[in-house]
Amino acid sequence: MANFVIPKFQTAAVVDHSGADIRIDHEFPVKSQEELLPGECLVKLDCSGACHTDLHAALGDWPIPAKTPLIGGHEGVGIIVAIGNNTAHSPVKLGDRVGIKWLADSCLNCEDCRKGREQNCKEAKLSGFTVDGTFQEYVVSFVNHVTPIPDNIPSDEAASVLCAGVTVYRAIKYSQTSPGDWIVLPGAGGGLGHLAVQYARVRGLRVIAVDTGDAKKELCLKLGAEKWIDFMECKDIVAEITSITNGGAHSAVVTSANGAGYRQAVDYLRPGGTLMAVGLPGKATLEASIWFTVFKSISILGSYVGNRQDAVEAINIAARGQVKVHFTTKPLKELENVYEGMKAGKIAGRIIL
């Protein structure tokens, strides 16, 4: 059995209270092996993705507030260096490379967990929100929920699959579409959206990418989007999509973190179409014509991250080279600047810290 030397202190990016600037703490304590509870594991991180959700957690602008002080982050990849005493039937062992997701832990015994909706468990723990996350060198997680990372994918490529990838993969999986159907992806050039383009293509769907800017256009088309619509330039998005699809799209997976991407979806979906609500604006409401929703037999489904099986499927697709995360690498101390880029909507692809 491998033995690892665990330091007493580490570097971590801390938000002391909602809306506070990031504070880089070089003497943040690390839990020792003896302090871990049964079922807990300590992961020495190689890297962590940065997600728009982390910005919401830092700002405290969601209806449910994050804990403070808070270490954000929920797209971490690293090596298990300790497991709590009296942990029974652990599916992972010391030295395993694993991923840490938004869903850090759940009870596994309630109705939601038994039905594969672990993310809806009332006892769920959320990385970087209700428990400290992956913007640190060592993170405490849970043996039953960390995701094994296949050998043939680098850590920095795997990181964002654990949230952005799993989230859009599940939404597309449940979008009630068949190969050859049209799917619209508002926010297609962003962190979630550019992965949605690829997972949609893996499932044989025809992609209409909706976003703005030349960098995002180039990225979406390179990744396999069949059509591009710049929402800042197109005068009538509904008419354009209806024309492209000869009657309306079969589904829309809305990943943009504002209400605008949702408002037109019911109008450009064809009868029997499905709106998958994924992006989480803090206070916006989903407005849709009840008459046309009923008249066109539209399904509106909320899709919230993914369960353990979704994570395994999504990471294995990426490990086979069918999905690639397009990312820029930055040091942890740049996290505040990354948040500013997110606020301005200027980040194409993903940021890995």
Side-chain angles (χ1 to χ4, degrees), residues 221-305:
L221 293 177
K222 183 172 78 170
L223 294 177
E226 194 166 330
K227 299 291 183 181
W228 163 265
I229 296 175
D230 191 316
F231 66 76
M232 294 294 288
E233 297 177 0
C234 182
K235 294 179 180 178
D236 191 336
I237 291 175
V238 172
E240 183 71 10
I241 291 174
T242 303
S243 173
I244 290 170
T245 59
N246 192 28
H250 298 85
S251 182
V253 175
V254 183
T255 61
S256 50
N258 59 65
Y262 289 96
R263 294 187 190 115
Q264 298 162 320
V266 170
D267 295 330
Y268 63 63
L269 288 172
R270 68 177 59 203
T274 303
L275 167 59
M276 302 299 296
V278 176
L280 284 173
K283 295 182 172 63
T285 57
L286 198 161
E287 299 175 9
S289 163
I290 296 173
W291 199 92
F292 279 107
T293 301
V294 174
F295 186 71
K296 294 171 65 178
S297 303
I298 299 296
S299 299
I300 300 176
L301 304 176
S303 186
Y304 173 50
V305 293

Side-chain angles (χ1 to χ4, degrees), residues 1-336:
M1 182 177 288
N3 290 313
F4 297 92
V5 177
I6 299 170
K8 295 185 181 298
F9 300 99
Q10 61 169 323
T11 298
V14 183
V15 177
D16 290 309
H17 57 83
S18 294
D21 289 341
I22 301 293
R23 175 174 60 84
I24 303 299
D25 187 342
H26 295 289
E27 295 187 350
F28 196 86
V30 179
K31 262 194 176 184
S32 67
Q33 189 278 331
E34 292 78 11
E35 293 174 301
L36 295 175
L37 298 176
E40 290 184 342
C41 58
L42 185 69
V43 179
K44 181 181 181 181
L45 290 169
D46 297 328
C47 58
S48 173
C51 176
H52 215 105
T53 294
D54 299 314
L55 174 59
H56 287 295
L59 294 174
D61 64 356
W62 274 358
I64 302 173
K67 83 172 192 76
T68 54
L70 174 70
I71 297 172
H74 56 273
E75 295 181 349
V77 178
I79 303 298
I80 294 178
V81 296
I83 293 176
N85 292 330
N86 302 313
T87 296
H89 308 296
S90 175
V92 290
K93 64 185 184 302
L94 293 182
D96 283 359
R97 189 169 61 127
V98 298
I100 294 167
K101 309 178 296 297
W102 172 250
L103 181 60
D105 194 28
S106 71
C107 78
L108 299 180
N109 290 311
C110 67
E111 180 179 343
D112 285 318
C113 285
R114 292 195 305 269
K115 288 184 174 179
R117 293 197 307 270
E118 299 137 17
Q119 62 272 41
N120 297 123
C121 174
K122 289 182 173 59
E123 302 299 320
K125 297 180 177 70
L126 308 176
S127 301
F129 199 80
T130 64
V131 296
D132 282 337
T134 56
F135 295 156
Q136 55 183 328
E137 293 177 284
Y138 290 82
V139 62
V140 174
S141 198
F142 302 86
V143 297
N144 284 321
H145 272 278
V146 291
T147 300
I149 305 297
D151 291 338
N152 53 334
I153 183 170
S155 295
D156 51 8
E157 289 189 23
S160 289
V161 176
L162 296 164
C163 177
V166 171
T167 297
V168 297
Y169 172 75
R170 181 183 175 90
I172 294 166
K173 180 179 173 180
Y174 288 92
S175 65
Q176 304 184 106
T177 50
S178 301
D181 285 353
W182 285 102
I183 190 165
V184 181
L185 302 176
L192 276 76
H194 89 284
L195 293 174
V197 172
Q198 298 174 76
Y199 280 112
R201 295 293 296 124
V202 169
R203 294 182 71 85
L205 301 175
R206 304 176 73 182
V207 174
I208 299 174
V210 181
D211 215 315
T212 188
D214 290 339
K216 292 183 177 182
K217 176 182 179 180
E218 181 182 352
L219 177 61
C220 290
L221 293 177
K222 183 172 78 170
L223 294 177
E226 194 166 330
K227 299 291 183 181
W228 163 265
I229 296 175
D230 191 316
F231 66 76
M232 294 294 288
E233 297 177 0
C234 182
K235 294 179 180 178
D236 191 336
I237 291 175
V238 172
E240 183 71 10
I241 291 174
T242 303
S243 173
I244 290 170
T245 59
N246 192 28
H250 298 85
S251 182
V253 175
V254 183
T255 61
S256 50
N258 59 65
Y262 289 96
R263 294 187 190 115
Q264 298 162 320
V266 170
D267 295 330
Y268 63 63
L269 288 172
R270 68 177 59 203
T274 303
L275 167 59
M276 302 299 296
V278 176
L280 284 173
K283 295 182 172 63
T285 57
L286 198 161
E287 299 175 9
S289 163
I290 296 173
W291 199 92
F292 279 107
T293 301
V294 174
F295 186 71
K296 294 171 65 178
S297 303
I298 299 296
S299 299
I300 300 176
L301 304 176
S303 186
Y304 173 50
V305 293
N307 61 25
R308 292 176 297 165
Q309 181 62 25
D310 296 325
V312 170
E313 292 172 8
I315 201 76
N316 284 341
I317 289 170
R320 291 196 296 270
Q322 294 175 283
V323 168
K324 289 280 189 182
V325 180
H326 287 250
F327 62 89
T328 303
T329 303
K330 295 181 180 291
L332 182 62
K333 65 182 180 182
E334 291 292 318
L335 181 57
E336 188 71 44

